[in-house]
Coordinates of all heavy atoms in Angstrom, one line a residue:
A79 N 61.1 70.2 189.3 CA 62.1 70.8 188.7 C 62.5 70.1 187.3 O 62.3 68.9 187.1 CB 63.3 70.8 189.5
V80 N 62.8 70.9 186.4 CA 63.1 70.3 185.0 C 64.3 69.3 185.1 O 65.3 69.7 185.9 CB 63.5 71.5 184.0 CG1 64.0 70.8 182.8 CG2 62.4 72.4 184.0
G81 N 64.2 68.2 184.6 CA 65.1 67.3 184.5 C 65.2 66.3 185.8 O 66.0 65.5 186.0
A82 N 64.2 66.5 186.7 CA 64.2 65.7 188.0 C 63.1 64.7 187.8 O 62.1 64.8 187.1 CB 63.9 66.6 189.3
W83 N 63.4 63.5 188.5 CA 62.4 62.5 188.5 C 61.4 62.8 189.5 O 61.7 63.3 190.6 CB 63.2 61.2 188.8 CG 62.4 59.9 188.9 CD1 62.1 59.1 187.8 CD2 61.6 59.3 189.8 NE1 61.2 58.1 188.1 CE2 61.0 58.2 189.5 CE3 61.5 59.7 191.2 CZ2 60.2 57.5 190.2 CZ3 60.6 58.9 192.0 CH2 60.0 57.8 191.5
A84 N 60.2 62.3 189.2 CA 59.0 62.4 190.2 C 58.2 61.3 190.1 O 57.8 60.9 189.0 CB 58.3 63.8 190.0
H85 N 57.6 60.9 191.2 CA 56.6 59.8 191.2 C 55.4 60.4 191.3 O 55.1 61.2 192.1 CB 56.8 58.9 192.5 CG 55.7 57.9 192.6 ND1 54.5 58.1 193.2 CD2 55.7 56.6 192.1 CE1 53.8 57.0 193.1 NE2 54.6 56.0 192.5
T86 N 54.5 60.1 190.2 CA 53.1 60.8 190.2 C 52.1 59.7 190.2 O 52.3 58.6 189.5 CB 53.1 61.6 188.9 OG1 54.2 62.5 188.9 CG2 51.7 62.3 188.9
A87 N 51.0 59.9 191.0 CA 50.0 58.9 191.0 C 48.6 59.7 191.0 O 48.5 60.7 191.6 CB 50.1 58.1 192.2
V88 N 47.7 59.1 190.3 CA 46.3 59.6 190.4 C 45.4 58.5 190.9 O 45.4 57.4 190.3 CB 46.0 60.0 188.9 CG1 44.5 60.5 188.9 CG2 46.9 61.0 188.4
A89 N 44.6 58.9 191.8 CA 43.6 57.9 192.4 C 42.2 58.4 192.1 O 41.9 59.6 192.4 CB 43.9 57.8 193.9
V90 N 41.4 57.7 191.3 CA 40.1 58.1 190.9 C 39.0 57.2 191.6 O 39.2 55.9 191.6 CB 39.9 58.0 189.3 CG1 38.6 58.4 188.9 CG2 41.1 58.8 188.6
S91 N 38.1 57.9 192.1 CA 36.9 57.2 192.8 C 35.7 58.1 192.6 O 35.8 59.1 192.0 CB 37.0 56.9 194.3 OG 37.0 58.2 195.0
E92 N 34.5 57.5 192.9 CA 33.3 58.3 192.7 C 33.3 59.6 193.6 O 32.7 60.6 193.4 CB 32.1 57.5 192.9 CG 31.9 56.5 191.8 CD 30.6 55.5 192.2 OE1 30.0 55.7 193.2 OE2 30.2 54.7 191.2
A93 N 34.0 59.3 194.7 CA 34.1 60.5 195.7 C 35.0 61.7 195.4 O 34.7 62.8 195.6 CB 34.4 60.0 197.1
A94 N 36.2 61.2 194.8 CA 37.2 62.3 194.4 C 38.1 61.7 193.5 O 38.5 60.6 193.4 CB 37.9 62.8 195.7
T95 N 38.9 62.8 192.8 CA 40.1 62.4 192.1 C 41.3 63.1 192.8 O 41.3 64.4 193.1 CB 40.0 62.9 190.7 OG1 38.9 62.3 190.0 CG2 41.2 62.7 189.8
V96 N 42.3 62.3 193.1 CA 43.4 62.9 193.9 C 44.8 62.7 193.1 O 44.9 61.6 192.7 CB 43.5 62.3 195.4 CG1 44.6 62.8 196.1 CG2 42.1 62.3 196.1
I97 N 45.6 63.7 193.1 CA 46.9 63.5 192.4 C 48.0 63.6 193.6 O 47.9 64.5 194.4 CB 47.1 64.8 191.5 CG1 46.1 64.6 190.4 CG2 48.5 64.6 190.9 CD1 46.1 65.8 189.3
Y98 N 48.8 62.6 193.5 CA 50.0 62.7 194.5 C 51.3 62.8 193.7 O 51.4 62.1 192.6 CB 50.0 61.1 195.1 CG 48.8 60.9 195.9 CD1 47.7 60.0 195.4 CD2 48.7 61.3 197.2 CE1 46.6 59.7 196.1 CE2 47.5 60.8 198.0 CZ 46.5 60.1 197.4 OH 45.4 59.8 198.0
V99 N 52.1 63.5 194.3 CA 53.5 63.7 193.7 C 54.6 63.3 194.8 O 54.5 64.0 195.9 CB 53.7 65.1 193.2 CG1 55.2 65.3 192.6 CG2 52.7 65.5 192.1
D100 N 55.3 62.4 194.5 CA 56.3 61.9 195.5 C 55.6 61.6 196.8 O 56.1 61.8 198.0 CB 57.5 62.9 195.7 CG 58.3 63.1 194.5 OD1 58.4 62.1 193.8 OD2 58.8 64.1 194.2
G101 N 54.4 60.9 196.7 CA 53.7 60.5 197.9 C 52.9 61.4 198.6 O 52.1 61.1 199.5
A102 N 52.9 62.7 198.3 CA 52.2 63.8 199.0 C 51.0 64.2 198.1 O 51.2 64.3 196.9 CB 53.1 65.0 199.2
E103 N 49.9 64.5 198.6 CA 48.7 64.9 197.8 C 49.0 66.2 197.4 O 49.3 67.2 198.2 CB 47.5 64.9 198.8 CG 46.2 65.2 198.0 CD 45.0 65.2 198.9 OE1 44.8 64.1 199.7 OE2 44.1 66.0 198.8
R104 N 48.8 66.6 196.1 CA 49.0 67.8 195.6 C 47.7 68.5 195.1 O 47.7 69.8 194.9 CB 50.1 67.8 194.4 CG 51.3 67.4 194.9 CD 52.0 68.5 195.7 NE 53.3 68.3 196.2 CZ 54.5 68.5 195.6 NH1 54.5 69.1 194.6 NH2 55.5 68.2 196.2
A105 N 46.7 67.7 194.7 CA 45.5 68.2 194.2 C 44.3 67.2 194.5 O 44.6 66.1 194.5 CB 45.6 68.6 192.7
R106 N 43.1 67.8 194.6 CA 41.9 67.0 194.9 C 40.8 67.7 194.2 O 40.7 68.9 194.3 CB 41.6 66.8 196.3 CG 40.4 66.1 196.6 CD 40.2 66.0 198.2 NE 41.2 65.1 198.8 CZ 41.0 63.8 199.0 NH1 39.9 63.3 198.7 NH2 41.9 63.1 199.6
A107 N 40.0 66.9 193.5 CA 38.7 67.4 192.9 C 37.6 66.5 193.3 O 37.8 65.4 193.6 CB 39.0 67.5 191.3
A108 N 36.4 67.1 193.2 CA 35.2 66.4 193.5 C 35.1 65.2 192.6 O 35.7 65.2 191.4 CB 34.0 67.2 193.4
G109 N 34.5 64.2 193.0 CA 34.4 62.8 192.2 C 34.0 63.1 190.8 O 33.5 64.2 190.3
M110 N 34.2 62.0 190.1 CA 33.9 62.0 188.7 C 33.3 60.7 188.2 O 33.3 59.7 189.0 CB 35.1 62.3 187.8 CG 36.3 61.2 188.1 SD 37.9 61.5 187.1 CE 37.5 61.1 185.4
A111 N 32.8 60.7 187.1 CA 32.2 59.4 186.6 C 33.3 58.4 186.3 O 34.2 58.7 185.7 CB 31.4 59.7 185.3
L112 N 33.2 57.2 186.8 CA 34.2 56.2 186.6 C 34.0 55.7 185.3 O 32.8 55.6 184.8 CB 34.1 55.2 187.7 CG 34.4 55.6 189.1 CD1 34.2 54.5 190.0 CD2 35.7 56.1 189.3
P113 N 35.1 55.4 184.6 CA 35.0 54.8 183.2 C 34.3 53.5 183.3 O 34.5 52.6 184.3 CB 36.4 54.6 182.8 CG 37.3 54.8 184.1 CD 36.4 55.4 185.1
T114 N 33.6 53.1 182.2 CA 33.1 51.7 182.1 C 33.9 50.9 181.3 O 34.8 51.3 180.7 CB 31.8 51.8 181.5 OG1 31.9 52.5 180.2 CG2 30.6 52.6 182.2
R115 N 33.8 49.6 181.4 CA 34.7 48.7 180.7 C 34.3 48.8 179.2 O 33.1 48.8 178.8 CB 34.3 47.2 181.1 CG 34.8 46.9 182.5 CD 34.4 45.4 182.9 NE 34.7 45.2 184.2 CZ 35.4 44.2 184.6 NH1 35.9 43.3 183.7 NH2 35.7 44.0 185.8
N116 N 35.4 48.9 178.4 CA 35.3 49.1 176.9 C 36.6 48.7 176.3 O 37.5 48.4 177.1 CB 34.8 50.5 176.7 CG 35.8 51.6 177.0 OD1 37.0 51.5 176.8 ND2 35.4 52.6 177.7
T117 N 36.7 48.9 175.0 CA 37.9 48.5 174.3 C 38.7 49.7 173.9 O 39.5 49.5 173.0 CB 37.6 47.7 173.1 OG1 36.5 48.3 172.3 CG2 36.9 46.2 173.6
A118 N 38.3 50.9 174.5 CA 39.0 52.2 174.1 C 40.3 52.2 174.5 O 40.8 51.6 175.5 CB 38.3 53.3 174.7
S119 N 41.3 52.7 173.7 CA 42.7 52.9 174.0 C 42.9 53.7 175.3 O 42.1 54.7 175.6 CB 43.5 53.6 172.9 OG 43.4 52.8 171.8
V120 N 43.9 53.3 176.1 CA 44.4 54.2 177.2 C 45.5 55.2 176.7 O 46.5 54.7 176.1 CB 44.9 53.4 178.4 CG1 45.5 54.2 179.5 CG2 43.8 52.4 179.0
L121 N 45.3 56.4 177.0 CA 46.3 57.3 176.4 C 47.2 57.9 177.6 O 46.6 58.5 178.6 CB 45.6 58.6 175.7 CG 44.7 58.2 174.5 CD1 44.1 59.6 174.1 CD2 45.5 57.6 173.5
L122 N 48.4 57.6 177.5 CA 49.3 58.2 178.7 C 50.2 59.2 177.9 O 50.8 58.9 176.9 CB 50.1 56.9 179.2 CG 49.4 55.9 179.9 CD1 50.3 54.7 180.2 CD2 48.6 56.4 181.0
G123 N 50.3 60.4 178.5 CA 51.2 61.5 178.1 C 50.5 62.3 176.9 O 51.2 63.0 176.3
R124 N 49.3 62.0 176.7 CA 48.6 62.8 175.7 C 47.2 63.4 176.2 O 46.5 62.8 176.9 CB 48.2 61.9 174.6 CG 47.6 62.7 173.4 CD 47.3 61.6 172.2 NE 46.6 62.4 171.1 CZ 46.1 61.7 170.1 NH1 46.2 60.4 170.0 NH2 45.4 62.3 169.2
R125 N 47.1 64.6 176.0 CA 45.8 65.3 176.6 C 44.8 65.1 175.6 O 44.6 65.7 174.6 CB 46.2 66.8 176.8 CG 45.0 67.5 177.4 CD 45.4 69.0 177.7 NE 44.4 69.6 178.4 CZ 44.4 70.8 178.6 NH1 45.5 71.7 178.2 NH2 43.4 71.4 179.2
G126 N 43.8 64.1 176.0 CA 42.7 64.0 175.1 C 43.0 63.7 173.6 O 44.0 62.9 173.5
F127 N 42.3 64.3 172.8 CA 42.6 64.0 171.4 C 43.0 65.3 170.7 O 42.7 65.4 169.6 CB 41.3 63.5 170.7 CG 41.0 62.1 171.2 CD1 39.9 62.0 172.3 CD2 41.7 60.9 170.8 CE1 39.8 60.7 172.8 CE2 41.3 59.6 171.2 CZ 40.4 59.5 172.3
H128 N 43.7 66.1 171.4 CA 44.0 67.5 171.0 C 45.5 67.5 170.4 O 45.9 68.6 170.3 CB 43.7 68.5 172.0 CG 42.3 68.5 172.4 ND1 41.3 69.0 171.5 CD2 41.6 68.2 173.6 CE1 40.1 68.8 172.2 NE2 40.4 68.4 173.5
N129 N 46.1 66.5 170.4 CA 47.6 66.3 170.0 C 48.4 67.3 170.8 O 49.3 68.0 170.4 CB 47.7 66.8 168.5 CG 47.0 65.8 167.5 OD1 47.0 64.6 167.8 ND2 46.4 66.3 166.5
K130 N 48.2 67.2 172.2 CA 49.0 67.8 173.1 C 49.8 66.8 174.0 O 49.1 66.0 174.6 CB 48.3 68.8 174.1 CG 47.8 70.1 173.3 CD 47.1 71.0 174.2 CE 46.6 72.1 173.3 NZ 46.0 73.2 174.2
Y131 N 51.0 66.8 173.9 CA 51.8 65.7 174.5 C 52.6 66.0 175.6 O 53.1 67.2 175.7 CB 52.6 64.9 173.4 CG 51.9 64.3 172.2 CD1 51.5 65.0 171.1 CD2 51.4 63.0 172.3 CE1 50.7 64.4 170.1 CE2 50.7 62.5 171.4 CZ 50.3 63.2 170.3 OH 49.6 62.6 169.3
L132 N 52.9 65.1 176.5 CA 53.7 65.2 177.6 C 55.1 65.2 177.1 O 55.6 64.4 176.4 CB 53.6 64.1 178.6 CG 54.5 64.0 179.9 CD1 54.2 65.1 180.8 CD2 54.3 62.7 180.6
H133 N 55.9 66.3 177.6 CA 57.4 66.4 177.1 C 58.2 65.8 178.2 O 58.9 66.5 179.0 CB 57.8 67.7 176.8 CG 57.0 68.2 175.6 ND1 57.2 67.9 174.3 CD2 55.9 69.1 175.5 CE1 56.4 68.5 173.5 NE2 55.5 69.3 174.2
A134 N 58.1 64.5 178.4 CA 58.9 63.9 179.5 C 58.9 62.3 179.2 O 58.4 61.9 178.3 CB 58.1 64.0 180.8
D135 N 59.8 61.6 180.0 CA 59.8 60.2 179.8 C 59.0 59.4 180.9 O 58.9 59.9 182.1 CB 61.2 59.8 180.0 CG 62.1 60.3 178.9 OD1 61.6 60.3 177.7 OD2 63.3 60.6 179.1
L136 N 58.2 58.4 180.5 CA 57.6 57.5 181.6 C 58.5 56.4 181.8 O 58.7 55.6 180.9 CB 56.2 57.1 181.0 CG 55.2 58.3 180.7 CD1 54.0 57.8 180.2 CD2 54.9 59.0 182.0
D137 N 58.8 56.1 183.0 CA 59.6 54.9 183.4 C 59.0 53.7 183.7 O 59.2 52.7 183.2 CB 60.7 55.2 184.5 CG 61.6 54.2 184.9 OD1 62.1 53.6 183.8 OD2 61.7 54.0 186.1
E138 N 57.9 53.9 184.5 CA 57.0 52.7 184.9 C 55.6 53.3 185.1 O 55.3 54.3 185.3 CB 57.4 52.2 186.4 CG 58.7 51.5 186.5 CD 58.9 51.0 187.9 OE1 57.9 50.7 188.5 OE2 60.0 50.8 188.3
V139 N 54.7 52.3 184.6 CA 53.3 52.6 184.6 C 52.6 51.5 185.4 O 52.8 50.3 185.0 CB 52.7 52.9 183.2 CG1 51.2 52.9 183.4 CG2 53.4 54.1 182.6
R140 N 51.8 51.8 186.4 CA 51.0 50.7 187.1 C 49.6 51.2 187.0 O 49.2 52.3 187.4 CB 51.4 50.6 188.6 CG 52.9 50.2 188.7 CD 53.3 50.2 190.2 NE 54.7 49.8 190.3 CZ 55.4 49.8 191.4 NH1 54.6 49.9 192.6 NH2 56.6 49.4 191.6
V141 N 48.8 50.2 186.7 CA 47.3 50.5 186.7 C 46.6 49.5 187.7 O 46.8 48.3 187.5 CB 46.7 50.3 185.3 CG1 45.1 50.6 185.2 CG2 47.4 51.3 184.3
W142 N 45.9 50.1 188.7 CA 45.3 49.3 189.7 C 43.8 49.3 189.2 O 43.3 50.2 188.8 CB 45.5 49.8 191.0 CG 47.0 49.9 191.3 CD1 47.9 50.9 191.2 CD2 47.8 48.8 192.0 NE1 49.1 50.7 191.6 CE2 49.2 49.4 192.1 CE3 47.5 47.5 192.5 CZ2 50.2 48.6 192.6 CZ3 48.5 46.8 192.9 CH2 49.8 47.4 193.0
N143 N 43.1 48.2 189.7 CA 41.6 48.2 189.6 C 40.9 48.6 190.8 O 39.7 48.4 190.9 CB 41.2 46.8 189.1 CG 41.6 45.6 190.2 OD1 42.1 45.8 191.2 ND2 41.0 44.5 189.9
V144 N 41.6 49.2 191.8 CA 40.9 49.7 192.9 C 41.6 51.0 193.2 O 42.6 51.3 192.7 CB 41.3 48.8 194.2 CG1 40.4 47.5 194.0 CG2 42.7 48.6 194.5
T145 N 40.9 51.9 193.8 CA 41.4 53.2 194.3 C 42.3 53.1 195.4 O 42.1 52.5 196.4 CB 40.3 54.2 194.7 OG1 39.3 54.3 193.6 CG2 40.8 55.5 195.0
R146 N 43.6 53.6 195.2 CA 44.6 53.5 196.2 C 44.6 54.6 197.3 O 44.4 55.8 196.8 CB 46.0 53.4 195.6 CG 46.1 52.5 194.5 CD 46.3 51.1 194.9 NE 47.5 50.9 195.5 CZ 48.0 49.7 195.9 NH1 47.3 48.7 195.8 NH2 49.3 49.7 196.4
S147 N 44.8 54.4 198.4 CA 44.8 55.5 199.6 C 46.2 56.1 199.6 O 47.1 55.6 199.0 CB 44.6 54.8 201.0 OG 45.7 54.1 201.3
A148 N 46.3 57.2 200.2 CA 47.5 58.0 200.3 C 48.7 57.0 200.8 O 49.7 56.8 200.4 CB 47.4 59.2 201.2
A149 N 48.4 56.2 201.9 CA 49.3 55.2 202.5 C 49.7 54.3 201.6 O 50.9 53.8 201.4 CB 48.7 54.6 203.7
Q150 N 48.7 53.7 200.8 CA 49.1 52.7 199.8 C 50.0 53.2 198.6 O 50.9 52.5 198.3 CB 47.8 52.0 199.2 CG 47.0 51.2 200.1 CD 45.6 50.8 199.7 OE1 45.0 51.7 199.1 NE2 45.3 49.6 200.0
V151 N 49.6 54.4 198.2 CA 50.5 55.1 197.2 C 51.9 55.3 197.7 O 52.9 54.9 197.0 CB 49.8 56.4 196.7 CG1 50.8 57.2 195.8 CG2 48.6 56.2 196.0
L152 N 52.1 55.8 198.9 CA 53.3 56.1 199.5 C 54.1 54.7 199.7 O 55.3 54.6 199.4 CB 53.2 56.6 200.8 CG 54.6 57.2 201.4 CD1 55.3 58.2 200.5 CD2 54.3 57.9 202.8
G153 N 53.4 53.6 200.2 CA 54.0 52.3 200.4 C 54.5 51.6 199.1 O 55.5 50.9 199.2
A154 N 53.8 51.8 198.0 CA 54.0 51.1 196.9 C 55.0 52.0 195.9 O 55.4 51.5 194.9 CB 52.8 50.9 196.0
M155 N 55.4 53.2 196.3 CA 56.0 54.1 195.4 C 57.3 53.5 195.0 O 57.6 53.7 193.8 CB 56.2 55.4 196.2 CG 56.8 56.6 195.4 SD 56.6 58.2 196.1 CE 57.9 58.1 197.3
N156 N 58.2 53.0 195.8 CA 59.4 52.4 195.5 C 59.6 51.0 195.6 O 60.6 50.4 195.5 CB 60.5 53.2 196.3 CG 60.6 54.5 196.1 OD1 60.7 55.0 194.9 ND2 60.6 55.4 197.0
A157 N 58.4 50.2 195.7 CA 58.4 48.8 195.8 C 58.4 48.1 194.6 O 57.8 48.6 193.7 CB 57.1 48.5 196.7
R158 N 59.1 47.0 194.5 CA 59.0 46.2 193.3 C 57.8 45.3 193.4 O 57.4 44.9 194.5 CB 60.2 45.2 193.2 CG 61.4 45.9 192.9 CD 62.6 44.9 192.7 NE 63.7 45.5 192.0 CZ 64.1 45.1 190.8 NH1 63.6 44.1 190.2 NH2 65.0 45.8 190.2
L159 N 57.1 45.0 192.2 CA 56.0 44.1 192.2 C 56.5 42.8 191.7 O 57.4 42.7 190.9 CB 54.9 44.8 191.3 CG 54.3 46.1 191.7 CD1 53.3 46.6 190.6 CD2 53.7 46.0 193.2
G160 N 55.7 41.8 192.0 CA 56.0 40.5 191.6 C 56.9 39.8 192.4 O 57.4 38.8 192.5

């Protein structure tokens, strides 16, 4: 809903890319090539290089170096780190 806060997570692996909204799986696609280590910038809220931007606020961003399961996403959704 417009103006409502939502927790969104994307888990990427060679097997699948999964999108979770508020802890529930909302979309799944067949695997994709995993990014390699490089010095390229990470773009959050911008669609590629086409100058299309997310019209929302990002409150917290977490980047993990492993693919998180549905249970892990749900368990960490409101947890403090550190």
Side-chain angles (χ1 to χ4, degrees):
V80 174
W83 182 91
H85 177 272
T86 305
V88 179
V90 179
S91 72
E92 290 179 353
T95 298
V96 183
I97 297 174
Y98 300 96
V99 178
D100 294 329
E103 184 177 320
R104 292 292 175 96
R106 176 181 290 267
M110 62 183 280
L112 297 177
T114 58
R115 292 179 184 230
N116 61 48
T117 58
S119 298
V120 174
L121 303 175
L122 299 174
R124 182 175 174 192
R125 185 176 182 186
F127 295 97
H128 302 290
N129 293 327
K130 295 186 180 192
Y131 296 92
L132 176 69
H133 296 285
D135 294 323
L136 298 175
D137 182 45
E138 289 183 25
V139 175
R140 298 177 185 180
V141 178
W142 301 91
N143 63 354
V144 296
T145 302
R146 310 286 285 181
S147 69
Q150 290 170 319
V151 168
L152 188 59
M155 188 167 75
N156 294 310
R158 284 185 168 245
L159 299 180

